[in-house]
């Protein structure tokens, strides 16, 4: 009887290994491409008159309507019910926090460089831990908080000591950096809530990935459309895109990779948990920073290099330590709990 048990254990480990490889490759490919495109759209001028695209909510709407349509098609193709599994307000909570996350992310690029924005995202493990404690009643160990402190310290150094020549295309000055950092803090808080609450929904309900994506992105479509209509940005955004075909193609490609990334993100959170997802994102962010510095010629000061080494060193040390708190979180692959 021992041999079948051992064989079953090996098969389960191999299955989880391939699931992890699938998650990592999918997230890396889609989100690195997504990062390059969002920087190009928000920071590189279009046309002979060097016009900048400024309509963040329009990008959110395009991304979410594409994802909603694809997830609805996937539900219909698999003959799954379109009925909501959880109360609709819970989907709306994820949707609202996701819209605020993405809007802060796009707006921050007007005031800080992409490498600064991307390294700041590494601190997302901090809000994930905070929200995990509040929402999921999880307990983290002392070295979790120590590593979180080192990540915060490294991010702070990276943000506070930029290279003199790496300036925003929109404006200059200290108030510019303060507003950019405020948007990054907003991004981290809302993003941490989004992934943690998604984790809670997957564990609390017998919910398929497509079901959650469909309802959250549908709510996002309605909210973002309402937002940029009230701001009076609908017609200016359409006019800008109609005058710049290359911008239209960039937004189309951005929406495509954003849609694909949503499925990889939800798949990863469902199978491995929100903190593991945050750890996987670390490597993607390192690659994104290196690619952005090479592609868009962002200089790095020596202080920023120290900050980057501190951040990634702490995060990878956390990965090798494999603390018990993270191991317990990875129980997302266990059988789904009944509805609370």
């Amino acid at each position: 009887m021992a041999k079948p048990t051992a064989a079953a254990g090996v098969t389960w480990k191999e299955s989880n290994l391939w699931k992890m490889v699938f998650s990592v490759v999918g997230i890396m490919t889609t989100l690195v491409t997504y990062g390059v495109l969002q920087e190009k759209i928000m920071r590189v001028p279009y046309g002979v008159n060097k016009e900048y695209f400024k309509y963040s909510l329009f990008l959110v709407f395009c991304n979410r309507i594409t994802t909603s349509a694809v997830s609805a098609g996937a539900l219909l193709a698999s003959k799954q019910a379109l009925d909501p599994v959880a109360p609709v307000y819970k989907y709306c909570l994820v949707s609202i926090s996701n819209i605020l996350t993405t809007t802060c992310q796009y707006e921050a690029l007007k005031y800080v460089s992409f490498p600064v924005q991307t390294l700041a995202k590494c601190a997302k493990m901090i809000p994930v831990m905070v929200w995990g404690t509040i929402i999921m009643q999880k307990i983290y160990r002392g070295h979790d908080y120590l590593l979180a402190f080192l990540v915060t310290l490294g991010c702070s150094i990276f943000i506070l000591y930029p290279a003199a020549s790496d300036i925003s295309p929109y404006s200059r000055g200290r108030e510019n950096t303060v507003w950019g950092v405020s948007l990054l803090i907003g991004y981290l808080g809302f993003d941490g809530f989004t992934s943690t609450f998604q984790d809670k929904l997957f564990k609390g309900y017998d919910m398929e990935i497509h079901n959650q994506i469909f309802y959250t992105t549908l709510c996002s479509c309605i909210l973002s459309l309402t937002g940029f209509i009230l701001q009076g940005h609908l017609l200016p955004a359409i006019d800008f895109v109609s005058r710049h075909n290359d911008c239209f193609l960039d937004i189309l490609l951005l929406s495509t990779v954003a849609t694909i990334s949503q499925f990889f993100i939800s798949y990863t959170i469902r199978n491995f948990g929100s903190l593991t997802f945050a750890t996987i994102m670390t490597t993607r962010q390192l690659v994104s920073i290196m690619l952005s510095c090479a592609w868009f010629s962002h200089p790095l000061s020596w202080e920023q290099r120290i900050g980057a080494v501190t951040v990634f060193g702490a995060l990878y040390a956390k990965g090798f330590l494999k603390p018990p708190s993270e191991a317990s979180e990875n129980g997302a692959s266990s059988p789904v709990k009944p509805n609370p």
Side-chain angles (χ1 to χ4, degrees):
M1 296 296 291
K3 287 185 178 179
T5 304
V10 171
T11 303
W12 182 84
K13 287 181 180 179
E14 288 179 352
S15 175
N16 263 17
L17 174 63
W18 285 112
K19 283 181 180 179
M20 180 64 77
V21 170
F22 179 70
S23 297
V24 171
V25 171
I27 288 174
M28 287 282 290
T29 304
T30 56
L31 292 185
V32 167
T33 305
Y34 179 86
V36 172
L37 285 169
Q38 73 165 343
E39 180 170 20
K40 183 176 185 294
I41 293 170
M42 297 303 297
R43 289 182 67 93
V44 176
Y46 289 93
V48 293
N49 294 326
K50 303 296 182 183
E51 297 179 83
Y52 289 97
F53 186 85
K54 302 178 180 180
Y55 312 105
S56 301
L57 275 179
F58 183 76
L59 292 182
V60 175
F61 173 74
C62 291
N63 292 351
R64 299 304 179 264
I65 196 170
T66 304
T67 306
S68 181
V70 171
S71 58
L75 284 172
L76 292 173
S78 59
K79 297 182 180 179
Q80 296 176 17
L82 282 174
D83 298 332
V85 176
V88 174
Y89 79 88
K90 293 191 176 183
Y91 295 105
C92 289
L93 281 175
V94 175
S95 174
I96 292 169
S97 65
N98 186 256
I99 286 178
L100 292 171
T101 297
T102 312
T103 302
C104 288
Q105 178 182 7
Y106 288 142
E107 287 295 313
L109 278 175
K110 296 179 180 179
Y111 308 102
V112 298
S113 70
F114 182 78
V116 168
Q117 184 213 58
T118 303
L119 195 78
K121 290 179 185 179
C122 293
K124 71 187 298 177
M125 63 180 292
I126 301 167
V128 164
M129 290 169 68
V130 172
W131 287 118
T133 302
I134 296 172
I135 297 174
M136 308 284 285
Q137 285 81 52
K138 292 181 178 176
I139 299 174
Y140 299 99
R141 302 302 176 93
H143 55 261
D144 286 323
Y145 290 103
L146 173 61
L147 292 173
F149 169 76
L150 290 175
V151 168
T152 305
L153 178 63
C155 288
S156 301
I157 293 172
F158 197 92
I159 292 170
L160 293 174
Y161 296 95
S165 58
D166 194 22
I167 59 173
S168 164
Y170 288 86
S171 58
R172 303 167 184 258
R174 178 174 173 78
E175 69 282 358
N176 204 35
T177 302
V178 170
W179 180 235
V181 171
S182 300
L183 287 167
L184 289 177
I185 292 172
Y187 164 84
L188 290 171
F190 293 126
D191 187 59
F193 175 84
T194 301
S195 60
T196 305
F197 202 75
Q198 280 181 303
D199 196 2
K200 184 177 177 65
L201 287 182
F202 278 133
K203 291 180 178 179
Y205 297 89
D206 188 8
M207 180 181 294
E208 294 296 326
I209 292 172
H210 298 305
N211 183 279
Q212 185 184 118
I213 291 177
F214 173 68
Y215 278 99
T216 54
T217 54
L218 182 63
C219 292
S220 296
C221 286
I222 296 170
L223 293 171
S224 57
L225 178 62
T226 303
F228 72 76
I229 287 176
L230 292 176
Q231 289 177 341
H233 289 171
L234 176 59
L235 294 180
I238 294 174
D239 176 65
F240 188 97
V241 172
S242 65
R243 289 186 291 105
H244 302 286
N245 291 334
D246 50 344
C247 181
F248 171 77
L249 294 175
D250 287 340
I251 292 175
L252 182 63
L253 184 56
L254 181 77
S255 299
T256 302
V257 295
T259 297
I260 298 171
S261 71
Q262 282 295 315
F263 288 97
F264 280 112
I265 289 169
S266 294
Y267 178 86
T268 303
I269 291 173
R270 173 165 184 161
N271 285 282
F272 301 104
S274 55
L275 192 56
T276 298
F277 164 66
T279 304
I280 292 174
M281 293 291 282
T282 303
T283 303
R284 191 276 298 185
Q285 287 151 356
L286 176 59
V287 173
S288 293
I289 288 176
M290 295 171 62
L291 186 59
S292 177
C293 289
W295 196 319
F296 296 101
S297 303
H298 291 299
L300 292 178
S301 65
W302 66 268
E303 293 95 343
Q304 286 181 311
R305 295 174 194 271
I306 293 174
V309 169
T310 303
V311 170
F312 289 112
L315 289 172
Y316 283 119
K318 175 191 172 301
F320 285 118
L321 285 173
K322 296 181 181 178
S325 57
E326 185 173 350
S328 64
E329 176 168 330
N330 290 345
S333 57
S334 61
V336 180
K337 298 176 184 177
N339 292 0

